[in-house]
Amino acid sequence: MSRIGRVERATNETKVLVEIDLDGTGAADISTGVGFYDHMLHQLAKHGLFDLTVRTEGDLHIDSHHTMEDTALALGAAFREALGDKAGIRRFADAKVPLDEALAEVTVDVSGRPYLVHSEPEGMAPVIGRDYDTTMTRHIFESFVAQARVALHVHVPYGRNAHHIVECQFKALARALRFACESDPRVTGVPSTKGAL
C-alpha cells in the first residue's frame, strides 16, 4: 500500500505544491527560492528516506517568511495524508545527530495532537546565506506540526555555527520521522489504546 501525500496550496502570498512518499529512497526535487531552506528540505528527504517534491513560488520581494511558512504547512498536510490511518507504525521515535560542534536531539510522537517544544542556543547569527532568517526554524517546525498533527520536541544543547545548529535539527527530525513512520510487524492496528491517532 503506497503512502503518498500530495498537497497544493495557493494564497495571495504563495503557491505551493508538495508531494511526499514515506517509503521512498531519499530522492528530492525541491525549489522554494530560498537556497538554505532548499538545502534543509533536501536533508529531510535524504535522511528520512522520503521521496520529496516541493515547488514554491512566494512573495520573496517582501521577504522569505511566507514562502517558508506556507511550504512547511503544505509539507505537514502532505505528511499527514501520506500516513493514512497510521496502522502498524512504530509511532514514537527519537534521534540524536551531531554536526561538528553542534548536536540536535529530536523526539517525535505521531500522536494526532500537534505540539512543539523547541530550544536552541541563543545568540545565533540572524541570517544564513542570503535570506534564511534563523528565527524561522522554530516557526517552520510549528507550521509543520500544526498540519502533520505530531508532537515534536527539538533540543539543541550546544553549538556555535548557525548553519550547523539548524542543519543538525533537520537531519535529526528526518531520522526521527523515518523511524516513527516505519512499520513494526508486532503492531496490530493503530498503536494507541484509544484505537485512533
Side-chain angles (χ1 to χ4, degrees), residues 5-53:
R6 188 178 192 277
V7 169
E8 292 186 67
R9 187 178 193 277
T11 70
N12 291 333
E13 298 166 342
T14 62
K15 182 179 178 182
V16 185
L17 164 67
V18 173
E19 186 170 288
I20 187 168
D21 182 347
L22 299 182
D23 302 308
T25 62
D29 182 9
I30 296 167
S31 176
T32 68
V34 182
F36 186 75
Y37 192 35
D38 289 358
H39 181 45
M40 293 304 94
L41 294 176
H42 272 97
Q43 300 301 323
L44 189 68
K46 182 71 173 179
H47 298 286
L49 291 179
F50 307 134
D51 290 347
L52 180 62
T53 298

Side-chain angles (χ1 to χ4, degrees), residues 38-160:
D38 289 358
H39 181 45
M40 293 304 94
L41 294 176
H42 272 97
Q43 300 301 323
L44 189 68
K46 182 71 173 179
H47 298 286
L49 291 179
F50 307 134
D51 290 347
L52 180 62
T53 298
V54 176
R55 289 274 176 263
T56 303
E57 297 174 14
D59 54 0
L60 294 175
H61 61 286
I62 295 175
D63 69 9
S64 60
H65 184 111
H66 298 143
T67 295
M68 292 195 283
E69 174 184 53
D70 290 1
T71 299
L73 289 167
L75 177 61
F79 181 83
R80 186 179 77 240
E81 179 183 301
L83 273 174
D85 66 4
K86 305 172 190 171
I89 66 168
R90 297 185 188 280
R91 177 180 170 179
F92 303 100
D94 60 82
K96 289 185 179 183
V97 171
L99 183 53
D100 294 349
E101 86 297 342
L103 176 72
E105 303 168 336
V106 171
T107 306
V108 66
D109 175 8
V110 183
S111 61
R113 297 182 308 279
Y115 201 90
L116 175 68
V117 176
H118 180 263
S119 65
E120 60 187 5
E122 295 183 3
M124 282 202 304
V127 179
I128 300 172
R130 291 187 320 239
D131 45 14
Y132 185 93
D133 176 352
T134 55
T135 66
M136 283 297 293
T137 303
R138 178 187 177 91
H139 190 51
I140 288 165
F141 293 155
E142 285 172 335
S143 301
F144 173 79
V145 160
Q147 293 298 312
R149 296 181 188 163
V150 301
L152 176 63
H153 291 235
V154 180
H155 178 52
V156 182
Y158 47 81
R160 291 187 309 274

